[in-house]
Amino acid sequence: MRTQRRAVLRTLLGAGALLFGGNALAKTHDSKGSRKRSNNLQLDGTLSVIVDYPGYQLASLSVLAMRGGKVVYEQQFGHKWIDNDNPSNSKPADSATLYRIASISKTITGLGAMKLVEQGKLDLDADVSQYLGFTFRNPHFGDELITLRQLLCHTSSIRDDAGYYWDAKSNTHLREVFTPGGKLYGKGAMWSKRAAPGRFFQYANLPWGVIGTIMEAVTRERFDRLMRRLILDPMRLVGGFHPADLSPRDLANVATLYRKRQGVNGREVWNSAGPWVAQVDDYSKNPPEPRATSDYVPGTNGTLFGPQGNCRLTAQGLGRVMLMLMDEGQ
């Protein structure tokens, strides 16, 4: 089991890309005297230049570095929320700032799935049809079963060509998405015609909505709350997959993600001299909307909570995850 766990987690980590880019202020971990302090100050200066580099500014940046299993540097630069009209109202990033960690969320979701494997509720190599409650097959390779291992490792033959998120208003059951003849099946663009399950790596987001649905189906818990029980609370990780359920204090620490893009002749172009344009997580005027209605049935549409990219965590939280993986799960 430990060997299997290592293999799957290595694949998940490969899907996560860089640790953190986003926003940030300052805290350094330094106990070795003035030379280290000088080095840290040098690093502060270098990162400040990167954030404010003319023409390629960053709204913010959060950096955490480890050596020998310990945090040796932590710093934040820029702002988690920006007021273009009155910059003095902008809110600086700090160690409590939560970022939408995008596809690194897949690693966090993978940890939750592996906890259920350890508990005997899921089998990495079983036909996932037994968990979903309907026949889950690529119609071009109907004799080939699809497994949780394949979903986790991007070898399930599922692609993003038909989308990977269905909101609560659509009252979607994934059976209608993946089954030929289903009302949301369309042309079946989610299924590869070229490679059978287990034969080809194709990075995709949609398999993670399926994983979230499977996790819900075997526990009868909503994915976001299940992840809190399995991973976030035991590891003391602030944040989660559903901003609408965050406390007012944590919600106030969520970083807005920005671009400096403006529409020109029907397309967006980067305008370094223009204002910061909020893209995601600007709750300055309105709170986040709940992603699920009260009558949502767990195990029908796990895409609701974004298992592939909707987790919010701090740099410190990601550092704790990194240490856990380095320490064989402890």
Side-chain angles (χ1 to χ4, degrees):
M1 175 63 74
R2 176 168 288 189
T3 300
Q4 291 178 346
R5 192 160 62 235
R6 285 178 180 171
V8 173
L9 290 177
R10 274 198 298 271
T11 302
L12 296 176
L13 287 170
L18 297 176
L19 177 61
F20 236 147
N23 289 331
L25 204 58
K27 188 189 294 182
T28 57
H29 298 258
D30 180 2
S31 60
K32 298 287 186 176
S34 60
R35 184 173 179 180
K36 276 194 173 180
R37 283 193 292 272
S38 176
N39 288 341
N40 282 350
L41 289 173
Q42 259 188 329
L43 186 54
D44 289 350
T46 300
L47 292 170
S48 294
V49 169
I50 291 174
V51 170
D52 297 325
Y53 195 83
Y56 300 95
Q57 307 97 316
L58 298 177
S60 63
L61 186 69
S62 191
V63 180
L64 184 144
M66 295 182 184
R67 181 179 291 125
K70 295 182 179 180
V71 175
V72 295
Y73 180 86
E74 183 186 352
Q75 188 72 291
Q76 291 82 32
F77 308 83
H79 296 84
K80 60 188 172 187
W81 183 78
I82 297 172
D83 188 333
N84 289 300
D85 298 323
N86 188 353
S88 64
N89 288 336
S90 298
K91 299 177 181 179
D94 54 29
S95 60
T97 300
L98 292 156
Y99 296 88
R100 181 180 177 273
I101 63 172
S103 282
I104 303 174
S105 302
K106 293 180 175 67
T107 300
I108 309 303
T109 297
L111 296 176
M114 293 304 290
K115 284 290 291 183
L116 295 178
V117 171
E118 287 185 336
Q119 294 171 7
K121 295 180 179 179
L122 291 175
D123 184 328
L124 283 171
D125 298 307
D127 180 354
V128 298
S129 300
Q130 66 180 288
Y131 305 126
L132 291 168
F134 61 95
T135 300
F136 193 78
R137 291 283 191 280
N138 182 331
H140 308 292
F141 306 94
D143 294 332
E144 303 278 349
L145 60 82
I146 295 174
T147 69
L148 178 61
R149 186 189 301 276
Q150 293 167 352
L151 292 167
L152 288 166
C153 295
H154 299 282
T155 60
S156 64
S157 78
I158 297 174
R159 298 183 173 182
D160 287 341
D161 295 19
Y164 55 86
Y165 171 70
W166 290 268
D167 63 24
K169 296 177 183 178
S170 67
N171 195 28
T172 295
H173 192 300
L174 288 195
R175 179 191 297 110
E176 302 296 332
V177 173
F178 287 98
T179 305
K183 65 179 181 180
L184 296 173
Y185 184 78
K187 297 180 179 180
M190 72 291 295
W191 293 116
S192 171
K193 297 179 181 180
R194 298 176 58 188
R199 310 288 174 81
F200 186 75
F201 175 92
Q202 174 69 60
Y203 183 88
N205 292 292
L206 180 55
W208 296 82
V210 178
I211 293 169
T213 305
I214 290 169
M215 294 170 66
E216 289 187 343
V218 299
T219 62
R220 311 316 300 174
E221 296 178 66
R222 259 176 44 175
F223 173 79
D224 58 320
R225 295 171 180 172
L226 173 63
M227 286 299 298
R228 180 165 300 285
R229 177 175 69 81
L230 290 176
I231 302 297
L232 300 175
D233 286 349
M235 291 190 66
R236 304 190 309 279
L237 298 176
V238 178
F241 283 82
H242 195 213
D245 277 358
L246 293 177
S247 69
R249 177 180 178 180
D250 291 338
L251 187 61
N253 282 324
V254 173
T256 302
L257 303 188
Y258 293 95
R259 294 177 179 172
K260 276 182 171 284
R261 289 186 178 180
Q262 293 182 328
V264 177
N265 297 326
R267 63 189 183 95
E268 284 194 345
V269 297
W270 185 264
N271 179 12
S272 60
W276 288 105
V277 180
Q279 302 296 303
V280 178
D281 286 348
D282 182 4
Y283 304 123
S284 58
K285 295 180 180 178
N286 297 302
E289 294 186 8
R291 285 199 162 205
T293 58
S294 58
D295 59 351
Y296 170 68
V297 179
T300 57
N301 177 21
T303 73
L304 280 177
F305 305 102
Q308 82 290 338
N310 211 44
C311 189
R312 277 77 171 171
L313 289 178
T314 65
Q316 288 183 352
L318 276 179
R320 187 170 292 125
V321 173
M322 183 187 296
L323 285 172
M324 179 273 294
L325 293 171
M326 292 166 63
D327 198 28
E328 298 293 329
Q330 297 299 315

